Amino acid sequence: MPPQYLLGIDLGTTNSVVAYAPLVPSTESMAPRIELLPLPQFVAPGTVENRTQLPSFLYLPPPPELQSGQWTPPESLAIADPFAPHVVGEAARRRSAEAPERTVVAAKSWLTHHKVDRRAPILPWNSPSEIPKVSPVAATQAYLAHLAAAWRGVFPTAPLAEQSVILTVPASFDASARELTREAALAAGLPADLILLEEPQAAVYAWLAEQGDHWRKVLRVGDVLLVCDVGGGTTDLTLIGVTEAHGELELQRLAVGPHLLVGGDNMDLALAHFVAEKFRETGVDLDPWQAISLWHSCRAAKEELLSANGPPVHTIAVLGRGSRLIGGAKTLEVTRGELSALLVEGFFPRCAATAKPLKRRGSGFQEIGLPFEADTAITRHLAAFFQAQGTAFPRPSHVLFNGGVFKAQPLRGRLLDVLGEWFTDEATEAKRAPPQELPGQRDLDHAVARGAVLYGWSKQHGGVRIRGGTARSYYVGIETTGLAIPSAPRPLRALCVVPFGMEEGTARGVPSGEIGLIVGEPAQFRFFSSLVRKQDQPGDLLSRWNEEELQETDSLEATLPVAQENPDDYVPVTFESVITELGVFELWCVSTRDDRRWKLEFNVRENAE
């Protein structure tokens, strides 16, 4: 049965959203009728409400709470529970203030962290051993399973696995993080042919939907759009250029920045630190439990104070605990002006276009956890992003803001001011116009999900498409031959097998001499990727590089089968790279002696196929 609906799922670090549109013949409608899916969830024990956003928080209740039945979902929700009893959504977010050791946060960011086993039960990170844990993949699956259950409750006769689904991911996600996301999605009941779309591109599609044909009057050939996406836990930067083909304007993704672990959560923590200092000045010294609770409480204060019609003052309360706070809760007020100054100067300070993020280390030892940015100045990270593009990178003419952080006009205004200072031509009297904010992006909370629907619609019915292909170039490690040295590994070279921008649905041979593929015994295959080496082409061989140019991703350990008639422990092969229509990268090792082929998927699977 053909799909009845087109779904766009924004699987956010802090909030998730589902938008959808009925699929109709292209002759019936030139634009999709996009709706938001109501997402039922616990907002308090025993209380379920519909919201348009599902906070990406997972709470693991203690046994007494489970036995009380207060977290038993209604039959209409029918959420399958493949892991352990848990609560997902607004109530879990609120519980994060009271019981942070039982609440999973930022599971999406953990999917990119190669230094941990993302299938192992490690979250909540550093929680006591007696508390049950889940893996980053399992937590991601739980969020998606909840969204799937919400869909099933509204459309019981249209199984999600039979619909067209676009699932968004950060542009900076590498192949392994994408594969882990896809793995969680399939386990949650999403269709096998789901498409992964970069979140900044989805934001652009949402803006295009708002503008209609008017976008062609706003942008012109040669313009460059900076998409600045600052969400709850991450920052993503993307450049999209406006080109022309056959007399029509086209959009093309030009560059993608690294996955930056800095965002709204850092702002909540900064406000909590500020408030804690104000409490200390009044003689109130918070203990660690209260400090964590304050952090989560400050999130609500930030959102209320920075909203368009927010109040001038917000009262923050901290509950008493033991002998340190006598007399119950203590309160103090934070003004809109205090918060604005704190966040503007702390996260969007003025800096030179040549600035670089600070990389301070407070100790020679560091806890193994998420690699949060040492520098919270998003403007310095933005300067580094432009520097990585080289001296000839195109100057941005427009900015599209995305993410809940940019609901605050003071933050948008400061970023535009900084960009204007960077891109003013001092050598001429006539100043070029500074980068302008694109008009019309009204719904930052739901833009990515809506844009994903429009992307899927344009694939099926025609319309404006952003040309991009892969956001990274990819490499395989080739061990060199030569005299062995005790306790020293052989030098490794990196062979480019996928260039930046390789389009979906294409395949390319990799020019090279014969390379020995280890068969019949366990072997480790090492992979690398780059966001900045856009000039490398398949067959280019790198003898040396630094960590800013190439980053190693997950290695693949496998034992490839050997033919009985071939007693050698290796087979001479060449490579063929394939980017499937779904955006999955496959590396084929093609024997030069016979018709055998081996597929190595560039992901974190345990066995090669």
Side-chain angles (χ1 to χ4, degrees):
M1 182 175 178
Q4 299 170 257
Y5 295 92
L6 179 61
L7 282 76
I9 299 178
D10 174 12
L11 178 64
T13 308
T14 305
N15 290 290
S16 297
V17 177
V18 179
Y20 67 94
L23 282 169
V24 296
S26 57
T27 55
E28 293 185 19
S29 176
M30 296 302 294
R33 191 177 73 252
I34 301 176
E35 303 286 348
L36 294 173
L37 181 70
L39 303 174
Q41 58 197 276
F42 280 107
V43 297
T47 304
V48 174
E49 294 180 2
N50 281 336
R51 303 287 175 87
T52 59
Q53 292 180 293
L54 179 76
S56 302
F57 291 73
L58 185 147
Y59 172 60
L60 300 164
E65 289 187 18
L66 291 174
Q67 294 165 5
S68 70
Q70 62 187 11
W71 298 120
T72 302
E75 294 183 3
S76 60
L77 195 54
I79 299 177
D81 189 355
F83 317 114
H86 62 247
V87 178
V88 168
E90 179 60 32
R93 172 174 165 168
R94 295 179 181 179
R95 272 293 199 265
S96 66
E98 305 162 6
E101 75 283 357
R102 286 187 169 273
T103 309
V104 175
V105 299
K108 179 177 171 182
S109 292
W110 282 95
L111 294 179
T112 70
H113 194 27
H114 300 284
K115 295 182 179 180
V116 299
D117 182 355
R118 286 151 288 173
R119 291 194 182 88
I122 60 175
L123 302 179
W125 185 252
N126 280 342
S127 63
S129 58
E130 66 272 14
I131 292 179
K133 297 180 178 63
V134 299
S135 72
V137 173
T140 303
Q141 179 181 341
Y143 303 145
L144 291 170
H146 193 109
L147 300 179
W151 175 265
R152 186 166 55 249
V154 178
F155 298 101
T157 62
L160 183 60
E162 297 177 6
Q163 310 312 310
S164 292
V165 176
I166 312 297
L167 179 62
T168 65
V169 294
S172 52
F173 261 24
D174 65 11
S176 61
R178 288 170 178 258
E179 176 61 22
L180 287 169
T181 303
R182 184 172 180 271
E183 177 184 316
L186 297 185
L190 275 66
D193 61 351
L194 70 90
I195 295 175
L196 300 181
L197 174 67
E198 296 171 13
E199 291 164 1
Q201 289 195 37
V204 175
Y205 282 110
W207 178 78
L208 292 172
E210 293 279 357
Q211 295 294 303
D213 288 337
H214 182 68
W215 79 270
R216 303 175 191 277
K217 298 179 180 179
V218 178
L219 298 176
R220 60 185 180 182
V221 174
D223 282 347
V224 174
L225 173 61
L226 167 65
V227 184
C228 192
D229 185 350
V230 182
T234 60
T235 292
D236 274 303
L237 305 169
T238 296
L239 287 176
I240 294 176
V242 182
T243 62
E244 185 178 28
H246 310 295
E248 292 288 334
L249 292 182
E250 287 190 347
L251 300 176
Q252 181 172 15
R253 196 237 295 111
L254 303 176
V256 169
H259 190 65
L260 300 172
L261 292 181
V262 59
D265 292 342
N266 301 76
M267 297 179 183
D268 302 336
L269 184 59
L271 178 58
H273 180 76
F274 174 77
V275 172
E277 288 295 320
K278 293 189 69 172
F279 270 121
R280 190 170 294 115
E281 292 171 2
T282 65
V284 176
D285 193 12
L286 305 182
D287 66 21
W289 179 89
Q290 291 167 321
I292 293 174
S293 177
L294 177 63
W295 175 18
H296 295 286
S297 299
C298 283
R299 181 186 301 113
K302 179 198 69 178
E303 293 174 354
E304 182 176 357
L305 285 171
L306 292 182
S307 62
N309 299 311
V313 176
H314 182 91
T315 300
I316 294 178
V318 174
L319 296 178
R321 184 173 171 88
S323 60
R324 294 195 178 190
L325 283 179
I326 299 182
K330 300 295 183 180
T331 64
L332 59 76
E333 293 182 339
V334 176
T335 69
R336 186 184 181 101
E338 286 177 322
L339 178 60
S340 179
L342 176 71
L343 300 188
V344 167
E345 298 305 328
F347 292 86
F348 297 90
R350 298 184 187 276
C351 64
T354 56
K356 293 183 180 297
L358 305 178
K359 297 185 180 296
R360 290 189 298 267
R361 288 285 185 266
S363 169
F365 298 100
Q366 185 177 10
E367 183 180 68
I368 300 300
L370 282 177
F372 295 105
E373 307 306 323
D375 192 343
T376 61
I378 292 171
T379 43
R380 284 195 283 269
H381 289 288
L382 182 58
F385 168 64
F386 286 130
Q387 293 167 46
Q389 311 312 314
T391 57
F393 77 90
R395 172 185 180 275
S397 57
H398 296 79
V399 181
L400 179 65
F401 292 109
N402 193 55
V405 164
F406 286 121
K407 292 179 183 178
Q409 193 283 325
L411 303 185
R412 300 198 309 273
R414 170 55 69 87
L415 187 58
L416 289 170
D417 289 344
V418 172
L419 289 171
E421 294 169 2
W422 290 351
F423 297 108
T424 296
D425 191 348
E426 300 289 353
T428 62
E429 293 184 1
K431 292 185 178 181
R432 293 180 297 180
Q436 303 293 310
E437 179 179 358
L438 281 184
Q441 188 73 304
R442 295 188 294 270
D443 186 3
L444 296 182
D445 288 332
H446 310 105
V448 169
R450 290 180 180 275
V453 174
L454 185 66
Y455 167 80
W457 187 273
S458 66
K459 280 181 67 73
Q460 297 192 23
H461 297 281
V464 182
R465 293 281 301 278
I466 302 172
R467 296 173 52 218
T470 58
R472 296 170 177 257
S473 48
Y474 289 102
Y475 308 77
V476 294
I478 307 295
E479 184 179 288
T480 60
T481 59
L483 297 175
I485 302 174
S487 302
R490 295 185 185 276
L492 196 71
R493 295 179 178 176
L495 177 68
C496 180
V497 292
V498 170
F500 177 88
M502 183 171 171
E503 297 285 350
E504 292 85 356
T506 63
R508 296 187 65 167
V510 180
S512 69
E514 291 184 340
I515 296 171
L517 174 67
I518 304 299
V519 294
E521 63 181 80
Q524 183 183 53
F525 302 93
R526 296 177 65 182
F527 301 113
F528 302 82
S529 68
S530 176
L531 287 166
V532 298
R533 294 189 65 94
K534 302 186 184 69
Q535 75 280 8
D536 290 343
Q537 294 297 312
D540 289 350
L541 194 62
L542 309 184
S543 298
R544 59 180 60 187
W545 57 88
N546 59 50
E547 291 186 357
E548 293 182 355
E549 289 183 300
L550 259 65
Q551 298 82 43
E552 185 166 6
T553 183
D554 299 275
S555 60
L556 173 67
E557 293 189 9
T559 301
L560 299 181
V562 58
Q564 294 182 352
E565 64 275 11
N566 182 8
D568 296 332
D569 59 358
Y570 73 90
V571 175
V573 298
T574 57
F575 294 123
E576 179 181 296
S577 298
V578 177
I579 304 295
T580 70
E581 290 287 353
L582 304 181
V584 176
F585 171 41
E586 300 172 350
L587 180 67
W588 289 88
C589 305
V590 183
S591 171
T592 60
R593 304 292 174 83
D594 51 40
D595 59 357
R596 284 182 297 165
R597 294 163 58 91
W598 295 263
K599 182 176 70 170
L600 297 176
E601 288 191 64
F602 201 153
N603 56 41
V604 291
R605 297 187 183 217
E606 296 179 355
N607 298 300
E609 298 183 9

